[in-house]
């Protein structure tokens, strides 16, 4: 991992700066470096992938929910296929454990059918509708009258994915600079000039041909260092808390309720990690802060009630506060799409913004990297 002096790296062939060393910035760096671009990644923290990329459900989404034709649907399905391949070949730690989406009563059956149709339109395969007997045989502790079974859903260790992208990026010659924070941006004659705060707090200036803004929660602010136009989105922070479930997991797969239109997420669900630890979450709560990760133990009763609608036999004393993550949402009244754009129309050609990269950003990361390479015509 490089902690290099930036001035030593300012060589003529330096081309593309990536701001942010989360899973998305690293996937972009890996894709660009693999294609022969000279890539420099700036990460303000002392480790890679320590923000949202470390604070999520770690689900490899199959792409069921998103409107057909949206960037989320397209990039999720493409990214899932790549991630499933990395997992199958042992390059990244994960397991395709499958997922149930449960209709808890007959009134929810039309919504389950509609989700099944949406998933098929998105190219999500394989999918199976289970009746109550089949659901009970598959997962005896799950309560419901029917379910959709997505065998193409899995779990991944996000840290392992971050490290895989790091290795691919470094193999392609990318330089990864930790504790380097981009603080200002200027348009230069043939690209961009970044002012970067180094680990010793001194500043340095770097010229590059293009910039990819993958700054996660703060990407909307970083975007405004370079460009400003009325359609440039703003992030709304929506916190997601998790509670661990003590004792044996109630199912050996992921279990989700049907998404409620009024919720900003998919509804509190049952997830597993690779060690078999069961978790409930994430909930959705509008937040002021981009870094308040405390979990209020008092939320346990809400989690118990939400999960008990589709899981039998849960007890309050099984729940322990775990961790929280924060979503960068582009809207709070509807599910907005990813914003992935080179800002040429506002005079910022060579500047690519990645905004609103909430779920399924982990799953879609490799495909987002590919999209950026296409936008920048780096083949
Ligand atoms: C609760 C929750 C659950 C989720 N569950 C899933 C899931 O199950 N499956 C899935 O596919 N997706 C999931 N996601 C989404 C996924 O976690 C994110 O889309 C993904 O991690 C975003 O990665 P990122 O690289 O864009 O952001 P980050 O990981 O936040 O990385 C951005 C980086 O930019 C750096 N940075 C910011 N400003 C600067 C600067 N000025 N200079 C230098 N560096 C800077 C930050 O330090 C940070 O490391 C979930 C998200 C949340 C919040």
């Amino acid at each position: 991992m490089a902690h290099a002096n930036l001035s030593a790296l300012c060589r003529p062939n330096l081309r593309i700066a990536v701001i942010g060393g989360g899973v998305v910035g690293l996937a972009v760096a890996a894709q660009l470096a693999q294609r022969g671009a000279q890539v420099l990644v700036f990460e303000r923290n002392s480790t890679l992938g320590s923000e949202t990329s470390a604070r999520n459900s770690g689900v490899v989404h199959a792409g069921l929910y998103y409107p057909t034709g949206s960037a989320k649907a397209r990039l999720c399905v493409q990214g899932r296929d790549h991630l499933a391949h990395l997992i199958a070949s042992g390059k990244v730690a994960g397991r395709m454990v499958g997922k149930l989406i449960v209709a808890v009563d007959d009134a929810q059956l039309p919504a389950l059918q509609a989700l099944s149709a949406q998933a098929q339109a998105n190219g999500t395969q394989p999918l199976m509708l289970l009746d109550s007997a089949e659901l009970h045989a598959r997962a005896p502790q799950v309560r419901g009258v029917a379910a959709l079974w997505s065998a193409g859903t899995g779990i991944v260790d996000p840290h392992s994915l971050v490290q895989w992208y790091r290795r691919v990026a470094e193999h392609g010659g990318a330089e990864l600079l930790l504790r380097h924070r981009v603080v200002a941006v200027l348009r230069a004659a043939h690209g961009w000039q970044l002012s970067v705060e180094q680990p010793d707090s001194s500043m340095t200036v770097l010229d590059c041909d293009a910039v990819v803004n993958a700054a996660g929660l703060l990407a909307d602010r970083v975007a405004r260092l370079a460009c400003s136009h009325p359609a440039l989105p703003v992030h709304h922070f929506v916190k997601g808390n998790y509670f661990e479930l003590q004792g044996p997991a109630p199912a050996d797969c992921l279990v989700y309720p049907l998404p409620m239109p009024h919720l900003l997420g998919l509804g509190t669900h049952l997830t597993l990690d690779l060690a078999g630890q069961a978790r409930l979450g994430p909930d959705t709560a509008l937040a002021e802060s981009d870094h308040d990760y405390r979990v209020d133990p008092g939320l346990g009763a809400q989690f118990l009630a939400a999960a008990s609608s589709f899981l039998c036999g849960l007890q309050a004393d099984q729940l322990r506060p775990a961790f929280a993550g924060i979503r960068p949402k582009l809207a709070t009244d509807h599910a907005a799409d990813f914003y992935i754009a080179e800002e040429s129309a506002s005079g910022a050609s060579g500047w690519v913004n990645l905004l609103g990269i909430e779920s399924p950003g982990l799953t879609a990361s490799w495909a987002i990297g590919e999209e950026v390479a296409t936008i920048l015509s780096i083949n």
Side-chain angles (χ1 to χ4, degrees):
M1 187 95 39
H3 290 271
N5 178 347
L6 259 193
S7 55
L9 297 169
C10 291
R11 49 185 189 253
N13 59 349
L14 184 63
R15 300 288 294 165
I16 301 175
V18 177
I19 305 175
V23 73
V24 172
L26 291 170
V28 169
Q31 286 273 10
L32 298 178
Q34 244 187 197
R35 289 165 165 76
Q38 302 296 310
V39 180
L40 203 50
V41 178
F42 297 100
E43 169 51 55
R44 63 181 176 159
N45 292 322
S46 54
T47 50
L48 296 168
S50 60
E51 299 202 355
T52 309
S53 296
R55 296 176 166 277
N56 56 67
S57 303
V59 174
V60 183
H61 285 295
L64 285 78
Y65 303 97
Y66 318 106
T68 308
S70 63
K72 280 185 177 173
R74 185 169 50 82
L75 299 173
C76 181
V77 170
Q78 286 170 18
R80 189 221 78 98
D81 290 350
H82 182 75
L83 199 39
H85 172 71
L86 290 177
I87 290 169
S89 58
K91 291 178 173 134
V92 169
R95 205 160 56 234
M96 302 313 282
V97 294
K99 154 173 165 174
L100 288 166
I101 303 123
V102 181
V104 294
D105 55 33
D106 288 349
Q108 288 193 335
L109 289 176
L112 193 72
Q113 294 282 359
L115 181 60
S116 174
Q118 177 69 73
Q120 287 177 47
N122 289 353
T124 305
Q125 297 291 346
L127 272 181
M128 204 188 292
L129 270 171
L130 308 182
D131 62 22
S132 63
E134 291 165 333
L135 170 60
H136 187 74
R138 178 76 195 71
Q141 274 180 258
V142 174
R143 193 197 305 275
V145 296
L148 199 55
W149 169 245
S150 165
T153 297
I155 50 176
V156 64
D157 173 6
H159 177 71
S160 167
L161 183 60
V162 160
Q163 291 307 318
W164 170 254
Y165 288 154
R166 175 187 67 77
R167 286 198 292 278
V168 177
E170 288 186 329
H171 186 254
E175 309 266 8
L176 311 181
L177 296 164
L178 300 176
R179 297 172 62 213
H180 282 75
R181 188 163 64 98
V182 175
V183 294
V185 172
L186 275 180
R187 195 79 173 106
H190 299 290
W192 296 92
Q193 196 172 72
L194 303 184
S195 297
V196 182
E197 189 183 12
Q198 303 183 102
D200 63 0
S201 299
S202 66
M203 297 297 296
T204 190
V205 169
L206 176 98
D207 289 307
C208 54
D209 296 313
V211 180
V212 182
N213 168 17
L217 293 170
L218 299 182
D220 63 333
R221 294 183 208 176
V222 170
R224 284 168 173 77
L225 298 176
C227 45
S228 171
H229 56 81
L232 191 62
V234 174
H235 282 167
H236 306 273
F237 301 133
V238 176
K239 188 170 176 178
N241 298 285
Y242 292 86
F243 277 70
E244 277 182 9
L245 211 47
Q246 307 298 296
D252 62 2
C253 61
L254 310 176
V255 186
Y256 285 58
L258 273 164
M260 298 290 167
H262 68 279
L263 292 179
L264 294 170
L266 297 179
T268 294
H269 46 263
L270 173 75
T271 60
L272 305 170
D273 67 17
L274 288 171
Q277 173 67 58
R279 270 195 299 266
L280 299 176
D283 63 352
T284 50
L286 277 172
E288 293 292 323
S289 158
D290 62 79
H291 56 265
D292 179 2
Y293 293 117
R294 288 170 300 176
V295 179
D296 175 3
L299 291 171
Q302 281 176 40
F303 275 72
L304 183 66
S308 294
S309 69
F310 61 91
L311 288 175
C312 305
L314 289 183
Q315 304 293 330
D317 62 3
Q318 282 180 271
L319 274 66
R320 302 266 187 286
F323 65 91
I326 299 172
R327 308 165 177 91
K329 286 210 171 270
L330 299 187
T332 55
D333 58 351
H334 66 280
D337 205 359
F338 292 151
Y339 179 95
I340 300 175
E342 184 185 5
E343 303 291 356
S344 313
S346 61
S349 54
W351 181 281
V352 179
N353 279 323
L354 306 179
L355 306 183
I357 311 296
E358 53 165 332
S359 190
L362 192 72
T363 308
S365 49
W366 187 249
I368 293 174
E370 205 159 35
E371 182 103 333
V372 170
T374 304
I375 288 172
L376 291 174
S377 305
I378 298 177
N379 303 309

